[in-house]
Structure formats: C-alpha cells, structure tokens
Amino acid sequence: MKCPFCGTDNPAGETFCTNCGGYLSASQPSSPPASSGGVSGPTSTGGGLGNSGSLAPNARLQQGRYVVDKVLGQGGMGAAVLARDTRVSNKSVVIKELISDSSDPQQHQEDVRNFEREVEMLASLDHPLVPTVTDSFQEGSRYFMVQECVVGENLEDHMERIKKPMPEQEALSYASQVLDILDYLSTQQPPIVHRDIKPANIIIGNKDKKAHLVDFGIARADVAKKAQKKQTSALGTPGYAPPEQYQGNADARSDLYALAATIHHLVTNRDPRDYPPFNYPRARSLNPQLSPDIERVLEHALKININERYQSAAEMKRDIDDILDSRYALRDTSHYMTGSSGPMVSPKPAPTPIPNPPTPVPNPPTPIPVSAGQQQIGTYARPKQQKSNNGYVVRSFILLLAVVIILGAVFFVLPRLRGNSQTGGQGSNNGPGFVTTPGATSTVVNGNGLGVTTIDGEPIGISDGTVAFDTKRADGDLKQQASAALKAGNSAQAQSLWRAALSKDTNDAEALIYLENQRVLASGSPYITLVVGTMVTGDSVVGVGRDTLQGAFVAQKEYNAGNGKLLGGVQVRLLIANSGSEAANSRKVAEQIVQAAQNDKTIVGVMGWPYSEQTVNAVNVLAGAKIPMISPTASADSLTDVSPYFFRVAPSDKSQAAVAVQYAKNKLHAKNVAVFEDQANTYSQSLAEDFKQQFIAAGGQVKVASYKVNDKQSVVSALQEALQASPAPDLIYFAGYSTDVSAILEQLPQEANFPDLQVLGGDALYNLAGYPQSARAGFARLHFTAFAYPDEWDVLGLGAKKPAFFTDYANAFDPNRAHQGSPYGYTRAAFNVVLAYDATLTLLSASKTALAGGTSGFTPTQLQQAIAGIKGTNAVQGVSGQISFDNDGDPSNKAVVMLYVNQGGFIQMEPQLGAGKFQAGS
C-alpha cells in the first residue's frame, strides 16, 4: 500500500508506513482533541494521521525525524501535538499542522498564506517567553511548523486544579511578564497583535516559573489587516475577547482587554465564558482579599470603549509593577534582557528620596546604559545583530564601573554631605515653640527626625510634605510630584501641584494639610506644630487614617483662619506621622517624633493614634519624652491612667461594653452570645473581656469564638464553630474591625438555620470603608456602639446649636458641592473625623491656655498641664459633646451612642443615648 504522506510502497496488510509511520487506513477516526496551551493532556489511541489531517500519537514526520507523542489541542488555523526530535536527543517539540477543510481552492490558498505568515512572524520573534520556531516543512499538501516546547502547566488547567482564586501577587507577576511580551510585540515592524490572550494560552514553565505566551494561530501583524481572512479567525475566545474584535477591528489594546479578563478570572476564580460577554463584576466583590489597586487596574483595562482603556502594554505594565513594588516589594520582575533595559514610557516622577530614615534603605540598582549596536525597546533592548561575547564583556565592564561609582558615593561623598547638612533645618527658632523666618520651607536633614523608611512596601515615618503617603488615589501621582518639588526647594511648584491634585480629589486631607503648612511658613507668623499619628497606608486601615487627617485639617484651618483661636496671630502647622498597616510600626514612628521634637522646638504635642493597638505601642515612648498625646478613638481599658501625658476624647471599652450589654439584653433579647475575640489584639481583647464580664453578670451565657485579625478564613472557621455550639447563639458580639466582621455578614445569609441572627459590636465597626459589597447582604443584621454620629445633634433635638464644624467640613472637602446626597467623606463626616477634630481641637484649646496671653511660646510639659486642666467649667465644646478629663486621662461621663443598620442598608441612631451625657454649650 502506497503511503499518502511520503509515497513509500508498503507491504500489504501494514497499518503504518514503514518509512514515516503515517497511518495507512483512511477509515481510522482522528484522535480527540486535548486541552490547548500546555504539554499535558490526554493521549489518543492509535497512530498516524486521521481522515481530517489531524496528527495522532506515533505518527512520524520528516522521514521519521519527529515522532508524535500526544495531541495537545486543535484551534485557530491548526492542530498542535507534542513530539520528539529524534535527531536532537529526543528533545520535546511542539508541531503545528495547518488544517484546511475548505474545498474552495482560493480559500485553501488563503489558509496556506496565513499559515506561512504565522511561521514567518514567529520565526522573527526573539523574546525568551515566546516559544522559538525551530523548523518548518511541507509534506504533500500538508504544512507543518516546529517550535520549542514549554514544559509546564497552562493557567486554565491550573485554575481547574486549584479551584480557588490565585493569590494577587502571583497573578500580577504573571500579568507583568505577559505585558513584557505584548510590549515587545508592539515594537515589531509592523506591530503584532496576538488576538487570543486567555488562560489556556499562558503556560507557566516548570523550570523558570515564568509566564510563556503560546498559540499565535490567529495573531496578525497590522500590515495584514486588510488581507482576506475567515471572520472566525479574528474572533478570539468568547469571554476574553473585547467587543471590537468581533467587528474585525482588533489592535494592541484588544490584547490588553483580554489579558485583564484573564487576570480577573485568575484572582476571582470566575470563568467569564460561563457568563454573558463583556460583564465583569468588581473583583473585590468576588474576592474581598484583593487590593483596591488591582481592582482599579482591571476596571481601567476592561472598559468597553477601546479609547478609555490602557493605550499601551507599557502603560498597563507600569501600573501593575507599581502594585508589585509598593505592596510586595517586587520590582521589574519581568524584565528579561538584563543589562540592556531602557524605560518603557516617559517615566513617572521618581518617588521622593527617603530623607534620613531611622533605618537605612538600600540604594536601588543603578540603571545600566543601552549598549552600542542595540535598539532600545520597551523593557529590554533587542539586539539588531547576534549577541557576541564582546558585548557581554562591555556590559560587564559598565556594570563594574557603576558599582565602583556607587561605592565611592556611599563611602566618600555621602558622609560629607551629611556633615554639611547638620546646620540645616526649619529656620531659626525665636524663643521656645516658634519659627518666625518668613517664607521658610522645611528642609529634611540628617538626624532631625523627619523622613520615612520603607517597611513591607509602605513608607513609614514623618512627613512635612516632602513625602506623600496616601498615593493610591486619583491624585496620587500629582502629590508625589508636589513632594518631589518641595524636596527640591520649589515651594511654589509644590503648591501648584497640590492644588491640581485637589481639583481631582477634593477630599484629600493630606494634600490640604501640606498646602496649608506652606501658607503658614510663607506668612512669617509664629507657629506651633502638632504631629498627627495615624495610618495613611495599608488597605485595611487607610480609610480610618484618611478620616483622622480630615478631622485634624478642619481644626487646623479653623484656628489659622483666626476664628477666636490662638493669640497673637500664632498659626498651626501639622506634621503627618504614618505607621501604616502594622501596629508595631507606631513605636518606631513615636521614636522619630521624639527625635523630631528634640530638633524642632515648635513641636508641642501629638494627636493620635486612632487605634488602641498602635496607641499602646507609642504611648510610653512619647510619655518618656514628656510629649503629650490625645487619642481620638483608642478605647482599650489598658490605656486608662497609663501616663499623665496621655489623654483621649473617646470613652473606654468598659463604657461602650456596658451600653452594648444593656442593648443586647433589653433590645435584642439575647441570652446566649458568641463573643468573637482575638486575644493577641489589644482592642479586640479589651472589648471582648468587658462585654463577657458584664453580660455574664447580667445573667447571660457566653461562648468565645477565637479568630485572628486580618484573617478572613479564621473568622469563617470561628463562625462555623459558634453556630454548631449548644445552645445555639441568639446573638454574635464581634470585638474587632469592620474588615473582619464582613466575613460574618457575607456568610450569615447562607445559614438557613439562622435567618435572623444579629451581630453586635463596638465602635471599630463604624468604619464604612471596611465593608466590601459582598457584605451588604447581611448588613441589616448589624448593630454597634459608637462615640459620635453625624446626625447626633439633630436626633437629640439640638440642631439649632450645631457647631460651625459641619459647615466648615463641607466647605473643606466639597467646596463646589459636586457630590449630591450628602456622602461620607465630602459633606458628611464619619465618626472618626468627628473624634479626630475634637482631639485636635482640645490640643489647640490647651495650647491657647499655655500661651498665657502672649506669644512667647511654651513647652510640651506646659501643654500637658493645660490639657490636664480641662475639667468642669473649663470643658471644651466638641462636636461629640463637651470634653473634660478625669485624673486618669479618660473623658468625664462622655456619651456613647447606639447605632444600627435598617432594612434599607442605612445606618441610624437609636433615639436614646446609651450612656453618658451629650452636653452642648449655649
């Protein structure tokens, strides 16, 4: 029997060709297709070629050189198989065969031309994450292409195997690597569009653990756009392909959409092929563990309008690399042509150099110039000619020279710069407590306490405006530029950039504080400095930090506007001290504050921290240096009488737990309560112990459910254990934060045996930024104690006596009234804002007393004495009520309110105060 493939005459009865191994029976069915993209997949039975032209295991090609092992898949313009190259030690290769079932000769020729174009295109590519074409040939009427084999698992198979969302860091790393490929493809002449980005076409190599892009079967160079082709060849894969691709109008931005759809699939475990096209829910609604940053990237890249998406792979890669850098301390993980890198796009302004950090930060690697004879392309430089050893030697020499220069700078130049900087500073001190040099701008110098250290990707430390902390918001880039300008001594440019930032993000209190500080310095007036201790980085705490800064700014602005405030025209400057997401950092920052106060005598006190855990870590450091601190909301019992230099405007946990117990018994009629507690967290442990003791004393029963703060799975596990207890709980008391209780609110609607189980908690549950959309289903089950409520004055019938704060707040953060419906953060102040305002107001009121009728200045100790004197008739009228202090630093008989969420999902206040008095002056 004559072989139809190689023409060899075979003896009668042979099933396979003795020369090429081709199957000799035309009736043998083709092997079933397997999953595409990887080298794994089911192995078909039989051997040779089926009647459709598909390759099957044991087939031999090129006179036996290539032996087929298994079918990998079939799609686009051809079938792909895994084979062995018998001439090269049985090395694994992937062979792709053209399939053209068309009986139309013209269409067949078009298929052939498209296949040849793919071979030519891939053969011209030189990127380490794109499989190299090693051979192409024709046998009879069939056409074949041979590529190197990427041994690994494609992402589609990976998701099927793990059956859960991929960690954000891992998904972003793979995305950065694919974007490196797409950026490279965009530099080709003409540019190349892949057109079928999806998990199945991204293989993670077993050896390098990198993302390799495969299956360029429907890829097109722009020059071929007008070429006749099947409509289906340009459609891509439904669920991943963008709308314009269905109209045959795909370009490089279409690949970015498909990649974003792929990332969305990876981090949410939601396969878009199972849903209507072009429909991607907010990623964090499906996976609350994701950061807001990745959600913003996905929303940008998945815009229906192609002109509203990222316009280049370089642009999208930059944003993803920024997330990897800031959140995971990973940078440039997908730059593969080391030694010849060039900037991808016009670079963003460099982050502000870290000024005199308490802990040295390693210098970043010095960029290596592009070598002669190379073309600078994206994140790598693709050689115009074959690389040689001489080029390697040149680059090595340049690298060595760069290292020598860096070492010289470290050991010779920097010490001299530091020595010369010792005389710099904030301007001349004229008496204790004030700087009066007109037009002075802060200069960060070694040893003055200002500056940041990067810890786990977060900038931790103190800023006078030369560092921007809260940059993961709409005006983040502009704030970084402003800080860089101020650091360079250009205050006018910095102020212009801050104003531009505020035009994009009117409620950014950090920008407003820095802008106001520059006005104070330029005025030439004497001033005092307060340090605001808070958390302005870290997804779980940044919302509270932003609130804290808003409250501090309104108080600063009111006093500086001269509304009956400090005497003699004395102004108020604020420094921002950020401890980030880790509570332990507050001790490091407190040590910096002590150092700063020793160098800058205008620093007289601290407003902060809002959380008990951070406050506990900082209080002894500040008290040891005799620096007074007033916390807005830290409520742990351990802070009562902790130091004569510590005060707080919010009641203790014992006070709010007492209110919660009475509410649980009388309003919710609870008898058996599951108390959720993290004993390692100061706030959670304090609040839980107070509630347990008082609820048991009132005749109730308690079962403890242990969880870990910032660990959603531990909360879910604790809930399941609590619900299975006997007797079953009739109430959950959650001692913790909104980001953690959200896991319970998500889960409870799915518990059929507990349709009405309510959740009660403390003031930390009043952080609305901590509730993802996924928690809204159970939101109406929520009740919590709080130390303030924006409608409190009206609920208590005191609307006519409302302080100017409410108007000043809206004027500060929504000056053009662009936000309708009185939203939080713009015209409606969250309770953290109110308490931060009251704490700052109390510090400033005491400062007025410490001035003793003049402007000769005062010391932190004198300020502490003035704060301790705020008692009885000397009470400060705050927004949360009148503030006076007991001898233990706690507020006297301060009001606690009881809030709940109604069926419409809105927070409301119970008409009666839970405890204490809400006093309003006449």
Side-chain angles (χ1 to χ4, degrees):
M1 180 180 294
K2 192 177 184 65
C3 176
F5 309 117
C6 66
T8 301
D9 287 321
N10 293 278
E14 286 287 342
T15 304
F16 303 101
C17 176
T18 57
N19 178 48
C20 70
Y23 191 63
L24 300 179
S25 172
S27 63
Q28 176 67 30
S30 61
S31 60
S35 60
S36 63
V39 298
S40 60
T43 301
S44 305
T45 58
L49 298 164
N51 60 359
S52 70
S54 297
L55 294 171
N58 297 321
R60 295 175 178 270
L61 298 170
Q62 281 291 80
Q63 285 143 5
R65 174 178 178 176
Y66 301 109
V67 180
V68 177
D69 285 335
K70 67 169 69 173
V71 176
L72 296 177
Q74 185 171 336
M77 289 179 59
V81 298
L82 179 67
R84 287 172 284 119
D85 186 347
T86 61
R87 294 187 189 175
V88 189
S89 302
N90 286 320
K91 180 180 179 180
S92 293
V93 295
V94 173
I95 299 179
K96 188 167 184 180
E97 175 200 16
L98 168 63
I99 296 176
S100 178
D101 293 328
S102 176
S103 59
D104 182 353
Q106 287 187 331
Q107 183 59 60
H108 178 80
Q109 285 303 113
E110 179 63 24
D111 290 343
V112 172
R113 281 194 294 270
N114 286 338
F115 187 77
E116 290 174 341
R117 187 183 297 118
E118 180 188 1
V119 173
E120 180 181 359
M121 175 183 66
L122 290 175
S124 69
L125 299 183
D126 183 16
H127 190 285
L129 299 183
V130 176
T132 302
V133 172
T134 59
D135 194 9
S136 65
F137 55 89
Q138 177 181 355
E139 290 192 356
S141 61
R142 290 170 170 79
Y143 299 82
F144 301 92
M145 172 177 64
V146 183
Q147 290 177 280
E148 65 176 342
C149 175
V150 180
V151 179
E153 181 180 40
N154 71 58
L155 291 179
E156 181 177 292
D157 290 344
H158 178 80
M159 295 304 293
E160 285 292 326
R161 177 170 60 81
I162 66 172
K163 299 185 183 304
K164 64 180 181 179
M166 179 181 289
E168 178 175 330
Q169 176 184 340
E170 183 180 359
L172 288 175
S173 295
Y174 295 150
S176 178
Q177 293 154 17
V178 174
L179 285 164
D180 199 67
I181 300 169
L182 296 181
D183 183 57
Y184 169 73
L185 296 178
S186 71
T187 67
Q188 302 307 293
Q189 297 300 325
I192 294 170
V193 183
H194 186 279
R195 298 175 186 257
D196 200 17
I197 305 288
K198 58 183 178 181
N201 284 340
I202 299 172
I203 299 176
I204 308 306
N206 285 346
K207 290 184 178 180
D208 60 9
K209 307 302 180 184
K210 303 297 185 184
H212 299 251
L213 185 60
V214 300
D215 197 357
F216 283 70
I218 62 172
R220 292 288 182 273
D222 281 352
V223 74
K225 279 185 176 179
K226 296 182 180 179
Q228 181 184 0
K229 58 183 178 287
K230 296 179 182 178
Q231 176 66 17
T232 55
S233 70
L235 292 184
T237 300
Y240 303 100
E244 70 275 3
Q245 196 157 332
Y246 290 82
Q247 302 167 6
N249 297 323
D251 63 23
R253 296 169 294 179
S254 306
D255 281 350
L256 303 184
Y257 179 100
L259 178 59
T262 297
I263 302 170
H264 191 281
H265 181 176
L266 298 181
V267 298
T268 66
N269 196 32
R270 176 188 180 274
D271 191 330
R273 296 171 297 182
D274 297 335
Y275 300 88
F278 322 127
N279 176 31
Y280 303 91
R282 295 175 69 92
R284 297 178 76 209
S285 71
L286 302 175
N287 181 2
Q289 301 302 312
L290 296 174
S291 71
D293 304 301
I294 189 173
E295 189 170 73
R296 281 193 290 268
V297 168
L298 292 176
E299 288 179 350
H300 190 181
L302 288 169
K303 295 285 188 183
I304 293 294
N305 186 336
I306 193 171
N307 294 315
E308 295 179 359
R309 294 178 207 149
Y310 287 103
Q311 297 300 293
S312 70
E315 181 187 1
M316 184 173 174
K317 179 174 167 59
R318 185 187 68 191
D319 281 1
I320 285 179
D321 284 350
D322 282 348
I323 300 174
L324 288 169
D325 185 19
S326 62
R327 292 184 60 81
Y328 305 106
L330 297 175
R331 169 57 71 174
D332 295 340
T333 56
S334 56
H335 294 184
Y336 294 102
M337 303 297 186
T338 305
S340 55
S341 297
M344 297 183 68
V345 291
S346 299
K348 294 168 62 177
T352 305
I354 298 173
N356 310 305
T359 304
V361 178
N363 291 327
T366 302
I368 301 172
V370 177
S371 304
Q374 290 186 317
Q375 178 185 359
Q376 185 170 304
I377 300 175
T379 57
Y380 37 72
R382 183 165 176 261
K384 291 183 178 179
Q385 299 178 352
Q386 183 70 26
K387 295 180 182 178
S388 66
N389 290 335
N390 289 337
Y392 174 80
V393 172
V394 170
R395 287 193 301 276
S396 299
F397 176 78
I398 293 173
L399 178 60
L400 178 61
L401 182 61
V403 171
V404 171
I405 293 173
I406 293 172
L407 292 176
V410 170
F411 292 107
F412 181 77
V413 179
L414 290 182
R416 285 154 178 77
L417 290 177
R418 290 173 179 167
N420 294 335
S421 68
Q422 294 292 340
T423 59
Q426 300 288 325
S428 59
N429 287 347
N430 296 333
F434 301 104
V435 174
T436 58
T437 304
T441 57
S442 57
T443 303
V444 181
V445 297
N446 186 49
N448 74 346
L450 300 185
V452 302
T453 302
T454 301
I455 301 177
D456 294 331
E458 295 181 69
I460 305 303
I462 308 173
S463 177
D464 57 355
T466 52
V467 175
F469 289 118
D470 190 8
T471 58
K472 295 180 179 180
R473 51 192 304 165
D475 63 347
D477 286 351
L478 288 168
K479 288 203 302 183
Q480 287 181 309
Q481 294 177 47
S483 294
L486 185 63
K487 175 67 176 174
N490 193 337
S491 175
Q493 183 183 12
Q495 292 179 60
S496 177
L497 287 164
W498 278 316
R499 292 189 183 96
L502 289 164
S503 69
K504 297 182 65 174
D505 207 343
T506 61
N507 72 340
D508 187 344
E510 182 184 23
L512 284 165
I513 287 171
Y514 294 151
L515 193 59
E516 177 66 9
N517 285 348
Q518 291 307 300
R519 190 202 61 75
V520 169
L521 293 168
S523 71
S525 300
Y527 65 86
I528 62 170
T529 299
L530 300 179
V531 181
V532 180
T534 189
M535 307 88 64
V536 208
T537 58
D539 294 336
S540 62
V541 295
V542 69
V544 174
R546 290 169 177 171
D547 288 349
T548 307
L549 294 186
Q550 282 195 337
F553 172 73
V554 174
Q556 177 194 29
K557 190 67 174 177
E558 286 181 348
Y559 262 71
N560 286 346
N563 297 333
K565 310 304 179 185
L566 295 182
L567 301 177
V570 175
Q571 299 283 285
V572 180
R573 182 181 70 137
L574 299 179
L575 297 178
I576 299 175
N578 176 48
S579 60
S581 57
E582 292 298 324
N585 292 336
S586 61
R587 179 177 179 85
K588 301 182 180 69
V589 177
E591 291 169 350
Q592 271 189 262
I593 294 173
V594 172
Q595 184 182 7
Q598 292 171 347
N599 287 273
D600 180 358
K601 299 306 180 183
T602 71
I603 297 175
V604 293
V606 175
M607 193 283 284
W609 267 257
Y611 278 3
S612 296
E613 189 84 355
Q614 284 83 345
T615 304
V616 167
N617 290 330
V619 66
N620 289 329
V621 175
L622 296 173
K626 296 184 177 180
I627 298 175
M629 172 168 67
I630 299 182
S631 169
T633 53
S635 56
D637 294 332
S638 61
L639 292 169
T640 298
D641 204 20
V642 69
S643 163
Y645 280 81
F646 176 76
F647 306 85
R648 52 183 169 187
V649 298
S652 68
D653 287 334
K654 186 174 293 184
S655 297
Q656 66 169 327
V659 173
V661 166
Q662 292 303 311
Y663 188 79
K665 297 286 291 184
N666 300 331
K667 183 78 172 183
L668 301 178
H669 309 293
K671 297 179 180 179
N672 304 301
V673 179
V675 178
F676 281 66
E677 175 184 8
D678 180 355
Q679 293 187 345
N681 180 272
T682 300
Y683 170 73
S684 178
Q685 186 272 338
S686 172
L687 187 60
E689 289 302 315
D690 286 329
F691 181 88
K692 286 187 292 184
Q693 291 176 13
Q694 297 181 61
F695 189 75
I696 292 172
Q701 296 187 49
V702 165
K703 179 175 177 58
V704 175
S706 297
Y707 77 99
K708 181 176 176 54
V709 168
N710 291 329
D711 185 345
K712 179 179 179 179
Q713 187 55 51
S714 73
V715 177
V716 173
S717 298
L719 176 63
Q720 294 305 319
E721 181 180 348
L723 296 182
Q724 295 169 12
S726 180
D730 51 21
L731 177 68
I732 288 174
Y733 185 78
F734 194 87
Y737 307 97
S738 58
T739 50
D740 294 316
V741 79
S742 293
I744 292 178
L745 300 182
E746 292 172 4
Q747 188 69 25
L748 278 181
Q750 304 174 36
E751 300 294 337
N753 294 331
F754 298 89
D756 300 314
L757 187 61
Q758 303 293 291
V759 179
L760 177 64
D763 65 294
L765 301 190
Y766 197 9
N767 175 21
L768 301 184
Y771 295 102
Q773 190 64 35
S774 55
R776 295 292 166 167
F779 202 40
R781 299 173 184 252
L782 197 60
H783 311 255
F784 48 88
T785 48
F787 306 133
Y789 180 62
D791 297 333
E792 189 172 359
W793 289 72
D794 295 311
V795 173
L796 297 176
L798 299 170
K801 296 183 178 182
K802 289 169 71 171
F805 165 83
F806 293 98
T807 300
D808 293 340
Y809 179 84
N811 289 341
F813 302 116
D814 193 16
N816 300 317
R817 297 301 189 269
H819 298 82
Q820 302 301 313
S822 189
Y824 280 100
Y826 293 95
T827 56
R828 183 176 176 83
F831 99 99
N832 286 306
V833 177
V834 170
L835 275 298
Y837 171 85
D838 281 358
T840 310
L841 185 74
T842 304
L843 275 168
L844 293 175
S845 179
S847 296
K848 185 175 181 178
T849 301
L851 281 171
T855 58
S856 59
F858 57 89
T859 66
T861 297
Q862 290 172 318
L863 178 60
Q864 181 272 337
Q865 294 169 353
I867 298 172
I870 298 177
K871 299 176 182 295
T873 57
N874 292 327
V876 173
Q877 180 59 59
V879 179
S880 62
Q882 287 191 0
I883 299 164
S884 65
F885 295 110
D886 293 331
N887 292 333
D888 57 10
D890 285 352
S892 301
N893 200 26
K894 188 75 184 298
V896 176
V897 300
M898 196 73 232
L899 304 178
Y900 68 97
V901 180
N902 65 21
Q903 291 303 312
F906 295 98
I907 294 173
Q908 291 186 316
M909 175 181 160
E910 296 285 359
Q912 300 297 322
L913 289 176
K917 293 183 179 180
F918 183 88
Q919 297 171 301
S922 58

